Every structure is written in structure tokens, then in C-alpha cells.
Amino acid sequence: DQQVKQNSPSLSVQEGRISILNCDYTNSMFDYFLWYKKYPAEGPTFLISISSIKDKNEDGRFTVFLNKSAKHLSLHIVPSQPGDSAVYFCAASANFNKFYFGSGTKLNVKP
Amino acid sequence: DAGVIQSPRHEVTEMGQEVTLRCKPISGHDYLFWYRQTMMRGLELLIYFNNNVPIDDSGMPEDRFSAKMPNASFSTLKIQPSEPRDSAVYFCASRWTSGASTDTQYFGPGTRLTVL
């Protein structure tokens, strides 16, 4: 059973607009969340993280929001750039080692 | 540093054959993780090691899968015998644990396995 779900397999956004990628989880014990970005033929690379003691974390154009009551997190990219086109994975963990990943959302940013 | 190195990058084999995937973690990292990525299930953790010792192998799908880490700079994931449903991309990742919340896993480029 998937404990972390990304229900949108793909998302298309115009350059300069906001991209919002969503992720839901089922395990209330999860207290640490990550977003990874993956280009074709490469391994995932870390993008941004958030712990359950926060509800928001920003890093440049990337912001992650956490809604613990809804067991939902989202990644906002503003403004979106063509180089952001990639597959984005969210991941969650209760012990900082065993991470459960979503199935990924493929983002396409159109010039 | 060269990052996490995986070999081979691509492997095509026939059902029933033994497959060995290799990983060299980043020097100094104390954790090593093996993942499998499929279209249906996304990225799944198979097993992870701490200081060369397997800690959690609950993600290993069957007894056909085994993983070893004989030293800090090398790990293998073996599938024997291989089956077509094992076709996937296998990633290795490593991490150095400083205790900071920013500790992150560094992934290798993956091995694309095709079992015919």
C-alpha cells in the first residue's frame, strides 16, 4: 500500500507562472518530508525539506507547505522556468532513514 | 568527489539468469540505500546499511534478492534468478549523518535492468 501518494502524474505550466505539486500521506507518524527532482537518466537530487514542527519552508523560488491535519504537502515553484521541467518526488519518513516516496509528478514548463 | 557510482548503467538479461548490481558510495558516508523505481510503484526502498551493517531489509521483495556491503566503499544487489517483473531502474544512494536536519541522500545515476 502506498503511504505517500502523488495523484497527478503530470503537470504543464507556462514559464513565469506558479507550479504547484501536491502530495498526500497516510501515516501520521511521518515527521520529516522531502522533495526530490529527477532529470532523465539521472538519479534524484534533493530539492527542499520540511519537518513536522514547521508548516512552511522556503528556498529561493521553491516553497514547501505542510498541512499536518490534512496529511498534505505541496511544493510551489515561483516563477517556473523551463529548466524546472523534471519529475518531482515527495518523500516522507518517521525515522529519517526509511523514506517512502510518491510515484512522482512530471512537470513540463513551457517557454 | 565523483558522487555515487553505479555499474552497470544498463543491464539486459534473460529470465533465470543471475544479475549483480554494484554501487560505490561517496567516501565518508555512513549510510547506503538501495531503491527500485517502477512505473507502477514509483521509488521503493529495498534495504539500507549503516556502517556496512544491514539495518532494514523489509523492502526486499523476495528471497531472490540479496544485498551485501563488504566494506565502506562497495555494495552489491544481487537477483538470482531474475524474472521479467524485476525489470526496473535500481538506484543506490548514500548519506553522511551529521545529525543536522539537512542531511540528505545522494543518489547515483541508476542501473536500468531489463529481464527478457
Side-chain angles (χ1 to χ4, degrees), chain A residues 1-61:
Chain A
D1 61 334
Q2 293 253 289
Q3 298 194 44
V4 177
K5 293 182 181 179
Q6 294 176 258
N7 292 318
S8 298
S10 63
L11 175 68
S12 187
V13 171
Q14 204 68 36
E15 181 179 5
R17 298 289 186 97
I18 185 171
S19 295
I20 300 176
L21 296 93
N22 294 303
C23 180
D24 297 295
Y25 60 96
T26 58
N27 190 338
S28 58
M29 298 299 291
F30 288 154
D31 59 3
Y32 193 63
F33 305 88
L34 306 172
W35 283 94
Y36 277 84
K37 176 177 174 179
K38 184 183 179 306
Y39 292 116
E42 295 182 10
T45 55
F46 170 75
L47 192 58
I48 192 168
S49 65
I50 189 167
S51 70
S52 59
I53 62 172
K54 294 185 175 182
D55 55 17
K56 178 182 173 181
N57 189 26
E58 277 183 272
D59 184 0
R61 297 185 296 113

Side-chain angles (χ1 to χ4, degrees), chain B residues 4-111:
Chain B
V4 176
I5 299 172
Q6 291 187 247
S7 64
R9 292 294 309 274
H10 301 272
E11 176 81 34
V12 180
T13 190
E14 292 191 346
M15 183 174 64
Q17 297 297 306
E18 176 180 299
V19 175
T20 300
L21 311 181
R22 296 172 176 79
C23 175
K24 177 177 168 56
I26 294 172
S27 177
H29 283 195
D30 57 347
Y31 277 83
L32 184 137
F33 305 81
W34 281 102
Y35 290 88
R36 176 172 70 173
Q37 183 187 13
T38 61
M39 289 292 290
M40 292 298 296
R41 300 183 62 83
L43 206 56
E44 301 174 277
L45 177 65
L46 300 177
I47 184 171
Y48 71 92
F49 297 80
N50 177 220
N51 292 323
N52 314 338
V53 176
I55 302 300
D56 186 337
D57 66 353
S58 59
M60 297 285 262
E62 304 171 31
D63 291 345
R64 299 183 296 106
F65 286 69
S66 62
K68 294 182 179 179
M69 191 166 186
N71 57 62
S73 57
F74 184 65
S75 177
T76 60
L77 178 67
K78 186 176 292 187
I79 308 172
Q80 165 64 19
S82 58
E83 297 182 3
R85 60 193 167 123
D86 301 330
S87 297
V89 181
Y90 291 81
F91 290 102
C92 175
S94 70
R95 188 187 81 209
W96 172 62
T97 307
S98 71
S101 61
T102 53
D103 288 349
T104 186
Q105 297 179 26
Y106 292 85
F107 282 76
T111 295

